[in-house]
Amino acid sequence: MNIENTQAQMRKGILEFCILSIIGNDEECYASEILDRMKRAKLIVVEGTLYPLLTRLKNDGYLSYQWIESKSGPPRKYYKLTGLGEKFLEELRKTWDELVRAVDLTTLKIQSTPSSKTSQIESNNE
Amino acid sequence: MNIENTQAQMRKGILEFCILSIIGNDEECYASEILDRMKRAKLIVVEGTLYPLLTRLKNDGYLSYQWIESKSGPPRKYYKLTGLGEKFLEELRKTWDELVRAVDLTTLKIQSTPSSKTSQIESNNE
DNA sequence: TACAGTACTTTTTATAGCAAGGTACTAAAT
DNA sequence: ATTTAGTACCTTGCTATAAAAAGTACTGTA
């Protein structure tokens, strides 16, 4: 029973959404901040996942960035949402809400069934 | 702005969970029924996705099946949860609930950190 | 015997996240 | 002046998974 893998699979699809949300909330932030927030929300993400994703979102026009120097280390890339990014995030919110509803539908016991159940002839093998 | 792809990504991770839920609710059902239920819940799935997934879940010991003849076509493989499958499904439920909470955390403007940490003095020094 | 409908199967392809290793800059210690 | 530690960003190769598409097989009907 490897629950870890399935957990990871569930997490995968929503990373983009969460990352855009975090950037949207913070107005402007850099990768390590995002990693930190994700960890606090119990969404494990590693650098090798985040950096390519940020680059892709920037290339797709959802994010822009500027370099800002730090007092205590190398300069940081501060990302923020573009106009397109805001619209995209809005769509993702809808998608997420729909997904939660869909899962509820399949998860709930009470599910209006089609009446056409065939007569079950017990024919076992295997 | 290709929202479709991101929607698909979000869907991916929860398919296993939804399919196990459906089988758990119905006690016993076959692939086409599952496809039907998924579609009704607005979770698009195609045969090429479902059949290999069912086979994998069976090989992992979460599902068992029996052939049952149909009056109107070829015999059907009726799947049901094994004992291990029930436990696994229970774990997935927890995982899903945690995920929903995690997404809420990253999505909400107010990023309240878990209350278990008492003194929440804003001391994010860098 | 041919055809339509249902059900299950397999192969190939594309994508995304992850692990691991690498580069570069700053500040403090030696 | 050089080394070390810490921070931040980047890249390559691997693996798992869903989707597309084509295929097999069984049943009843025309």
Side-chain angles (χ1 to χ4, degrees):
Chain A
M1 175 140 84
N2 77 339
I3 191 82
E4 284 80 12
N5 182 50
T6 307
Q7 286 173 334
Q9 292 305 320
M10 281 196 188
R11 219 164 31 221
K12 279 186 179 183
I14 57 159
L15 288 185
E16 203 172 302
F17 174 44
C18 290
I19 287 163
L20 287 173
S21 287
I22 287 171
I23 296 174
N25 290 344
D26 279 17
E27 298 297 331
E28 202 166 47
C29 58
Y30 67 102
S32 300
E33 267 181 337
I34 296 172
L35 282 173
D36 198 53
R37 285 211 195 292
M38 299 288 277
K39 258 173 218 135
R40 263 189 282 153
K42 300 273 192 303
L43 289 165
I44 306 141
V45 188
V46 294
E47 291 187 325
T49 300
L50 183 60
Y51 283 102
L53 186 48
L54 286 172
T55 302
R56 210 194 72 220
L57 290 169
K58 188 220 36 168
N59 290 338
D60 289 353
Y62 304 135
L63 295 177
S64 64
Y65 69 81
Q66 57 176 336
W67 286 99
I68 298 188
E69 287 176 15
S70 160
K71 287 178 182 174
S72 57
R76 301 160 175 173
K77 253 185 180 173
Y78 277 83
Y79 286 92
K80 66 177 176 185
L81 294 180
T82 62
L84 187 63
E86 308 240 21
K87 281 183 202 128
F88 188 56
L89 177 56
E90 195 47 51
E91 290 298 312
L92 291 187
R93 282 204 194 96
K94 280 184 211 156
T95 299
W96 171 249
D97 289 342
E98 281 165 18
L99 194 71
V100 171
R101 254 198 308 280
V103 170
D104 284 346
L105 266 182
T106 63
T107 301
L108 291 176
K109 283 275 180 199
I110 322 102
Q111 197 177 39
S112 57
T113 16
S115 47
S116 61
K117 261 259 173 173
T118 41
S119 57
Q120 307 218 349
I121 308 153
E122 176 91 16
S123 89
N124 200 343
N125 65 0
E126 197 222 2
Chain B
M1 177 140 83
N2 76 340
I3 191 84
E4 284 81 12
N5 182 50
T6 308
Q7 286 173 334
Q9 291 307 320
M10 283 195 187
R11 216 165 36 222
K12 279 187 181 183
I14 58 158
L15 287 185
E16 207 172 300
F17 173 43
C18 291
I19 287 164
L20 287 173
S21 287
I22 287 172
I23 295 174
N25 290 344
D26 279 17
E27 298 297 331
E28 204 166 45
C29 58
Y30 67 103
S32 300
E33 268 182 336
I34 297 171
L35 282 173
D36 198 53
R37 284 210 196 292
M38 299 288 278
K39 257 173 219 133
R40 264 189 283 150
K42 300 273 192 306
L43 288 165
I44 306 142
V45 188
V46 294
E47 291 187 324
T49 300
L50 183 59
Y51 283 101
L53 186 47
L54 286 173
T55 302
R56 211 194 70 218
L57 290 169
K58 188 217 42 166
N59 290 339
D60 288 353
Y62 303 135
L63 295 177
S64 65
Y65 68 81
Q66 56 177 337
W67 286 98
I68 298 188
E69 287 177 14
S70 160
K71 286 177 179 173
S72 57
R76 299 163 177 171
K77 253 184 179 174
Y78 277 82
Y79 286 92
K80 67 177 176 188
L81 295 181
T82 62
L84 187 63
E86 307 240 23
K87 280 183 203 125
F88 188 56
L89 177 55
E90 194 48 50
E91 288 300 310
L92 291 188
R93 282 204 194 95
K94 279 184 212 155
T95 299
W96 171 248
D97 288 343
E98 281 165 18
L99 193 70
V100 170
R101 252 199 310 279
V103 169
D104 283 347
L105 267 182
T106 64
T107 300
L108 293 174
K109 284 277 182 196
I110 320 101
Q111 283 232 351
S112 61
T113 22
S115 51
S116 55
K117 290 181 182 176
T118 30
S119 58
Q120 280 289 342
I121 306 159
E122 168 114 11
S123 76
N124 194 342
N125 61 342
E126 327 177 20

